[in-house]
């Protein structure tokens, strides 16, 4: 019996390994993209909740110090909500710019409106 050339067998094995790695990389990218999107969604939710909690805490503390029971708590909670929404909008703009940069391969303009003011 004649055995096949060991170099040919090695090349065939390397080709099969490369093909298997190629499939795994494609699947992994999809999973990483999904994970990244979920991560960004959680980031936005946490930013909103953090704004509300910080505003509530500041308002409650100032009400306690000055004895103006619900007044400052309501005002600062609303201000915290507004700050949280603005931060969420900035995050959404950042995600959108990253998506545009990845799709076109170009960097977006530096003087683009980032949701400030």
């Amino acid at each position: 019996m004649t055995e096949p050339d060991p170099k040919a067998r090695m090349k065939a094995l390397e080709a099969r390994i490369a093909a298997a790695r190629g499939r795994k990389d494609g699947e992994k990218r999809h999973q990483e993209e999904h994970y990244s999107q979920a991560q960004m969604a959680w980031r936005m939710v946490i930013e909103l909740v953090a704004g509300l909690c910080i505003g509530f805490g500041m308002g409650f503390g100032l009400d306690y110090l000055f004895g103006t029971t619900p007044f400052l708590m309501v005002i600062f909670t609303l201000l915290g909500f507004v700050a949280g929404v603005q931060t969420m909008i900035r995050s959404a703009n950042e995600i959108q710019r990253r998506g545009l940069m990845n799709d076109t391969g170009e960097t977006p303009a530096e003087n683009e409106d980032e949701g400030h003011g």
Side-chain angles (χ1 to χ4, degrees), residues 72-84:
L72 291 175
M73 183 180 66
V74 170
I75 298 296
F76 276 85
T77 301
L78 291 174
L79 288 174
F81 176 75
V82 169

Side-chain angles (χ1 to χ4, degrees), residues 45-108:
V45 169
I46 289 171
E47 288 169 348
L48 178 65
V49 171
L52 280 168
C53 290
I54 290 171
F56 176 80
M58 288 176 62
F60 184 79
L62 290 173
D63 276 338
Y64 181 77
L65 286 175
F66 298 130
T68 57
T69 303
F71 176 69
L72 291 175
M73 183 180 66
V74 170
I75 298 296
F76 276 85
T77 301
L78 291 174
L79 288 174
F81 176 75
V82 169
V85 169
Q86 282 184 333
T87 306
M88 284 178 58
I89 290 172
R90 266 189 241 128
S91 296
N93 286 339
E94 177 185 335
I95 293 167
Q96 186 176 15
R97 276 182 299 183
R98 279 188 192 168
L100 289 175
M101 185 174 70
N102 291 340
D103 290 344
T104 63
E106 298 175 359
T107 306

Side-chain angles (χ1 to χ4, degrees), residues 11-12 15-16 21-22 25 28 32-33 36-37 39 42-43 46 58 61 63-64 70 72 81 85 91 103 113-114 117:
K11 285 183 182 180
R16 288 184 9 212
R21 283 186 181 162
D25 288 345
K28 191 174 184 181
E32 286 176 357
E33 179 182 336
S36 177
Q37 289 174 354
Q39 191 176 29
W42 273 110
R43 174 183 162 189
I46 289 171
M58 288 176 62
D63 276 338
Y64 181 77
L72 291 175
F81 176 75
V85 169
S91 296
D103 290 344
D113 182 33
E114 295 181 4

